[in-house]
Amino acid sequence: MVLSHSVSTSSWEGIPESSALSAIRDIFMPFRIPLLVFISGFLLEHSIKKGPRRYFDGKLRAVFWPFLIWAIIEAVVVDRGYSSGLIFDVLTTRTGTIWYLQFLMISYVGFFLLYKSKIPLYVIAPFLIIISSYVPDIIEDNLLSRYVFLLGVMFLGVLAGRNVRMWENISRKTPVLVATGGVTMWLAWLSLHGEMVRYNAVYAPWTILSLVFITGVMMRIPVKSYVSRFLSFVGRNSIVYYVVHCSLLVVMFRTINGQGWIDNWGDGISTIVTSLTFVVAMAVITGLVLLQKKFPILNLPFRFPGSYKPKKNIVIKS
């Protein structure tokens, strides 16, 4: 995601997109967000079983709070200043690159309502994916239809979480990996050549098969390997990487272009500068994550302090 936004934010600041990095972005575009949503759904039912108060308390502190803080920061950085009505805008239609956190809050409420209503998810999940193609584009960047599509993917993730053994057994099988790997490469090829694959109900069955492949590959990574440790580290601190990277990238690209250090932006120069900016951004955010252990105050912009603690029943012995 950080690499993808490194490419897009460079163009925001007047730097030509790198053709090589744009190709990498397009290859992973069909799977990047659906995979995150699917994994969130996979873990969601465990969270809701803690009870409604703990469920919503945790989501408000760990998702809504950083969304509010960093959506405002990003809007101020991109617009070069604060404007009236900004807070209302970021809560409704203007979410920037942090739209995913807004989606999560909406989906958490939606799942809670469905969980209480006992409507079967195996009915509602495909229904949402299908109707996403017919949702009117009343919000910029087709955000509403995207949310409907991803909500269906999340509910499929919940179903997979309910049948975790079956999902593991299917996705680990070599013939399944070979077949779904072919589907994954086909979708990547289509996306690379300009086909609108992501958030597209027509390609949804193939997208789900690609998720089978990706999760199957991830399950085969040894738990104690450096790759697994790295992915676990980034996963545990994903909120920090997600909300900080765009504002940081904009500042760096704006500084580079504004100083006039480079007169002629060729594709090769753009690739080098964008790659270095991506590496620096990842290093800075990783440093911030490591500093949080030493200075807990640095956690404040990423999680509202405290947590809901249920009252204990007091038993008086006679």
Side-chain angles (χ1 to χ4, degrees), residues 124-162:
I124 196 67
F127 173 74
L128 288 171
I129 292 174
I130 292 170
I131 68 168
S132 66
S133 297
Y134 303 97
V135 173
D137 300 330
I138 58 175
I139 302 178
E140 64 178 35
D141 201 22
N142 300 336
L143 207 59
L144 185 57
S145 60
R146 183 191 308 179
Y147 282 8
V148 174
F149 178 89
L150 291 176
L151 194 59
V153 175
M154 174 172 279
F155 291 162
L156 290 177
V158 175
L159 290 172
R162 289 177 180 175

Side-chain angles (χ1 to χ4, degrees), residues 186-202:
W186 173 62
L187 287 179
W189 184 86
L190 288 176
S191 179
L192 181 61
H193 289 80
E195 183 71 20
M196 184 52 66
V197 176
R198 66 171 182 170
Y199 318 135
N200 190 333
V202 174

Side-chain angles (χ1 to χ4, degrees), residues 12-13 71-87 89-90 94 96 247 250 254:
W12 296 353
E13 298 305 320
I72 293 173
I73 291 174
E74 182 180 306
V76 170
V77 169
V78 172
D79 290 351
R80 302 173 187 260
Y82 181 85
S83 58
S84 60
L86 179 63
I87 296 178
D89 288 343
V90 300
R94 176 176 178 156
S247 297
V250 168
R254 187 173 292 168

Side-chain angles (χ1 to χ4, degrees), residues 92-125:
T92 52
T93 58
R94 176 176 178 156
T95 55
T97 62
I98 311 181
W99 64 266
Y100 180 65
L101 295 184
Q102 185 191 62
F103 162 75
L104 284 181
M105 286 305 304
I106 295 171
S107 64
Y108 291 150
V109 174
F111 178 65
F112 177 79
L113 296 175
L114 283 175
Y115 191 77
K116 291 297 182 181
S117 68
K118 304 298 182 181
I119 299 176
L121 292 181
Y122 58 81
V123 173
I124 196 67

